[in-house]
């Protein structure tokens, strides 16, 4: 009789560490119940490697150290994904997990999906079914491919479930709720207690806004990047001071493409921050301006209005609830979104609780994910090996 399952998680980029944290906790809780046990093997592709983009999340979120780091690092899409594919295949062959868990939509996700599918190792995809319907985004290609190769599709929202159904994937779909909501709920109180960033920036008692920009569609297009950076300066000068933890992609790009751009003294460009500082910033901010997928959700979870600096979003429920507005990199749309924010939210805090629960669940996504994985694995066992 099989009394242990081996689950391998594959991560590589910042948002994936944040999604892995609640899964590790749910596995610990599952094992503590007794009965069948899960051996959890964590592989880091090395896609993100700076301390502030990687290790800090393992430390703060108390994620077990990865069992293996493939050390792939940065590179062009094909080269980076190929390195990951090779490394993941080797480790899958060596460790022979019962299932591979992949997260989100990065190149690490796609490499994991392809490696496991070719070896006939089942795949669980966390954050399945998200679609921007824009194939210019590398993430969209990674998502579509990963969903179609996976066996368990953990869909965070009703829209994601609908998207998967439309693609003929309904029978593999599980409504899991959003795993980042688990992370936010678990850490917000801790962030309020521990983070000193707002004081360190001497912004205590002041209203602020928070900005992030890292998407290829914004950073690789100099015109878009310049518009966005100038709009942030303008907002910081006319509305609120803005804290801008800059992604290394954007930081590395700037001296080459916009050597003369300078932040206004009210636009506080800082290094990427750890998760607790980030939560403290979101919690404290009156507005988030971002092209990040995760930050759109986290702002919503913490009742912070958001302006999304992209032409489309996968998180349509945040828009429908009035917590988020799309503005792309269009100066007029950005101005209109800011005017709307100023009128509605500059002086009061919204409450999105009901819409959050309706769209993203109840912060028990990791537990639902583990249940779905164990159910799947037990069902796949030959009759003689089924757990009593
Ligand atoms: C990746 C994901 C994106 C996700 C983002 C989260 C893909 C295709 N993109 O984008 O979906 O939203 O992570 O942050 O997988 N760099 C460093 N240090 C690091 C990591 C990166 O300096 O630790 C710099 C390098 O110059 C690198 C660039 O950032 O070339 C981009 O990194 P990469 O991982 O390729 O893509 P991201 O923009 O981070
Ligand atoms: N984040 C962070 N520090 C930062 C910027 C982002 O902890 O300086 C967190 C953010 O709160 C979210 C995740 O990183 O949980 C999102 O990552 P990112 O925007 O890089 O990627 P995306 O979600 O767009 O894929």
């Amino acid at each position: 009789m099989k009394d242990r399952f081996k689950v391998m998680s594959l991560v590589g980029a910042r948002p994936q560490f944040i999604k892995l944290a609640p899964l590790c906790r749910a596995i610990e809780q599952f094992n503590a119940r007794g009965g069948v046990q899960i051996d959890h093997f964590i592989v880091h592709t090395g896609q993100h490697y700076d301390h502030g983009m990687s290790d800090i999340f393992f430390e703060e979120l108390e994620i077990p150290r990865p069992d293996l780091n493939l050390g792939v690092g940065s590179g062009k899409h094909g080269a980076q994904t190929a390195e990951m594919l090779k490394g993941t295949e080797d480790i899958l062959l060596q460790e022979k997990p019962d299932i591979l868990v992949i997260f989100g939509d990065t190149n690490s996700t796609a490499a994991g999906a392809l490696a496991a599918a070719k070896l006939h190792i089942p795949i669980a995809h966390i954050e399945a079914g998200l679609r921007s319907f824009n194939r210019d985004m590398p993430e969209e290609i990674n998502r579509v491919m990963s969903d179609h190769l996976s066996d368990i599709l953990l869909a965070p929202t009703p829209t994601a479930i609908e998207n998967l159904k439309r693609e003929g994937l309904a029978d593999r779909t599980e409504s899991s709720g959003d795993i980042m909501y688990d992370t936010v709920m678990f850490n917000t109180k801790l962030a309020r207690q521990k983070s000193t960033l707002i004081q360190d920036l001497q912004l205590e008692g002041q209203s602020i806004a928070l900005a992030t920009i890292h998407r290829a569609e914004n950073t690789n297009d100099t015109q878009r990047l310049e518009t966005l950076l100038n709009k942030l300066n303008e907002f910081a000068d006319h509305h609120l001071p803005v804290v801008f933890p800059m992604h290394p992609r954007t930081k590395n790009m700037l001296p080459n493409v916009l050597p003369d751009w300078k932040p206004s003294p009210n636009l506080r460009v800082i290094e990427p921050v750890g998760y607790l500082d980030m939560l403290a910033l979101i919690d404290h901010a009156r507005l988030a301006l971002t092209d990040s997928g995760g930050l759109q959700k986290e702002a919503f979870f913490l009742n912070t209005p958001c302006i999304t600096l992209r032409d489309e979003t996968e998180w349509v429920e945040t828009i429908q609830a009035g917590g988020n507005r799309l503005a792309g990199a269009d100066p007029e749309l950005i101005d209109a979104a800011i005017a709307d924010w100023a009128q509605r939210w500059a002086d009061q805090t919204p409450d999105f609780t009901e819409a959050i629960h309706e769209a993203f669940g109840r912060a028990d996504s990791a537990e639902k994910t583990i249940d779905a994985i164990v159910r799947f694995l037990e069902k796949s066992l030959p009759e003689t090996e089924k757990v009593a």
Side-chain angles (χ1 to χ4, degrees):
M1 185 138 60
K2 184 126 173 152
D3 60 358
R4 310 191 80 82
F5 289 124
K6 186 162 188 175
V7 173
M8 184 183 285
S9 288
L10 183 74
V11 290
R14 172 167 72 183
Q16 295 172 321
F17 314 138
I18 291 162
K19 290 162 202 169
L20 173 65
L23 195 77
C24 293
R25 247 188 341 270
I27 290 176
E28 259 177 46
Q29 284 162 4
F30 179 88
N31 285 344
R33 280 198 248 150
V36 64
Q37 296 289 293
I38 294 175
D39 296 325
H40 192 195
F41 192 95
I42 301 175
V43 178
H44 189 322
T45 62
Q47 178 170 354
H48 286 176
Y49 43 85
D50 290 345
H51 179 266
M53 295 294 288
S54 177
D55 283 2
I56 193 168
F57 297 97
F58 285 83
E59 289 155 16
E60 286 191 349
L61 299 174
E62 295 181 357
I63 305 168
R65 307 302 306 169
D67 295 281
L68 181 79
N69 191 319
L70 301 175
V72 166
S74 305
K76 287 188 284 189
H77 284 274
Q80 189 188 48
T81 310
E83 281 282 304
M84 290 172 185
L85 182 62
K86 190 170 175 298
T88 307
E89 181 178 65
D90 287 345
I91 192 68
L92 285 170
L93 284 168
Q94 191 184 310
E95 293 297 324
K96 299 184 178 54
D98 293 300
I99 193 161
L100 179 75
V101 185
I102 54 175
F103 302 74
D105 56 17
T106 71
N107 288 348
S108 300
T109 318
L114 194 52
K118 291 277 177 86
L119 295 172
H120 313 296
I121 292 172
I123 304 163
H125 184 201
I126 291 182
E127 233 178 52
L130 277 303
R131 296 289 180 271
S132 64
F133 304 102
N134 174 2
R135 292 271 173 115
D136 287 343
M137 286 178 76
E139 292 85 357
E140 185 76 354
I141 296 165
N142 292 339
R143 286 179 199 130
V144 172
M145 184 184 108
S146 299
D147 282 343
H148 283 260
L149 293 180
S150 293
D151 301 272
I152 313 177
L153 298 169
L154 297 139
T157 60
T159 304
I161 294 172
E162 213 29 62
N163 290 338
L164 292 169
K165 196 169 152 192
R166 210 175 315 113
E167 292 177 28
L169 299 173
D171 58 339
R172 298 184 231 166
T173 300
E174 294 273 344
S175 168
S176 61
D178 190 90
I179 204 159
M180 285 182 87
Y181 189 35
D182 296 21
T183 318
V184 168
M185 287 295 105
F186 191 82
N187 289 291
T188 302
K189 208 164 129 201
L190 203 62
R192 285 182 188 140
Q193 287 162 356
K194 281 197 166 174
S195 172
T196 59
L197 182 66
I198 312 270
Q199 291 93 306
D200 299 345
L201 293 170
Q202 296 176 325
L203 291 166
E204 217 172 351
Q206 286 191 58
S207 291
I208 60 158
L210 167 68
T212 74
I213 296 174
H214 78 282
R215 289 275 166 196
E217 72 220 50
N218 285 331
T219 53
N220 293 0
D221 179 330
T222 307
Q223 178 79 58
R224 280 181 79 104
L225 187 60
E226 187 171 24
T227 303
L228 292 175
L229 293 174
N230 288 340
K231 280 287 161 200
L232 291 183
N233 268 347
E234 225 177 280
F235 183 91
D237 286 339
H238 294 106
H239 295 275
L240 302 173
V242 178
V243 179
F244 182 8
M246 198 180 269
H247 191 288
R249 171 194 279 279
T250 317
K251 185 178 171 188
N252 295 344
M253 199 73 99
L254 265 181
N256 301 322
V257 298
L258 293 170
D260 298 329
W261 181 81
K262 289 213 167 24
S264 122
N266 297 319
L267 179 63
R268 308 283 293 273
V269 177
I270 59 176
E271 289 295 314
V273 296
Y275 193 66
L276 296 181
D277 281 340
M278 191 63 182
L279 278 186
L281 283 173
I282 303 168
D283 193 34
H284 190 73
R286 302 211 64 85
L287 174 67
L289 297 129
T290 189
D291 61 7
S292 160
L295 181 51
Q296 287 175 62
K297 288 191 282 179
E298 290 162 335
F300 192 59
F301 299 154
L302 293 174
N303 294 311
T304 302
C306 182
I307 296 176
T308 293
L309 306 168
R310 289 182 44 201
D311 300 328
E312 67 282 308
T313 181
E314 301 78 30
W315 305 108
V316 290
E317 284 86 355
T318 61
I319 307 259
Q320 287 155 1
N324 190 5
R325 187 164 161 152
L326 283 179
D330 177 325
E332 284 177 20
L333 289 181
I334 296 173
D335 288 345
I338 290 171
D340 183 54
W341 163 81
Q343 197 200 346
R344 291 200 296 158
W345 305 125
D347 301 317
Q348 53 170 326
T349 305
D351 181 1
F352 300 125
T353 313
E354 214 176 299
I356 294 167
H357 290 160
E358 218 167 279
F360 295 94
R362 298 262 171 183
D364 56 359
S365 176
E367 202 185 316
K368 284 186 169 157
T369 299
I370 293 302
D371 281 353
I373 289 175
V374 171
R375 247 189 294 123
F376 173 91
L377 291 175
E378 287 185 337
K379 217 167 71 189
S380 332
L381 285 175
E383 257 335 290
T384 47
E385 285 193 40
K386 287 216 163 123
V387 181

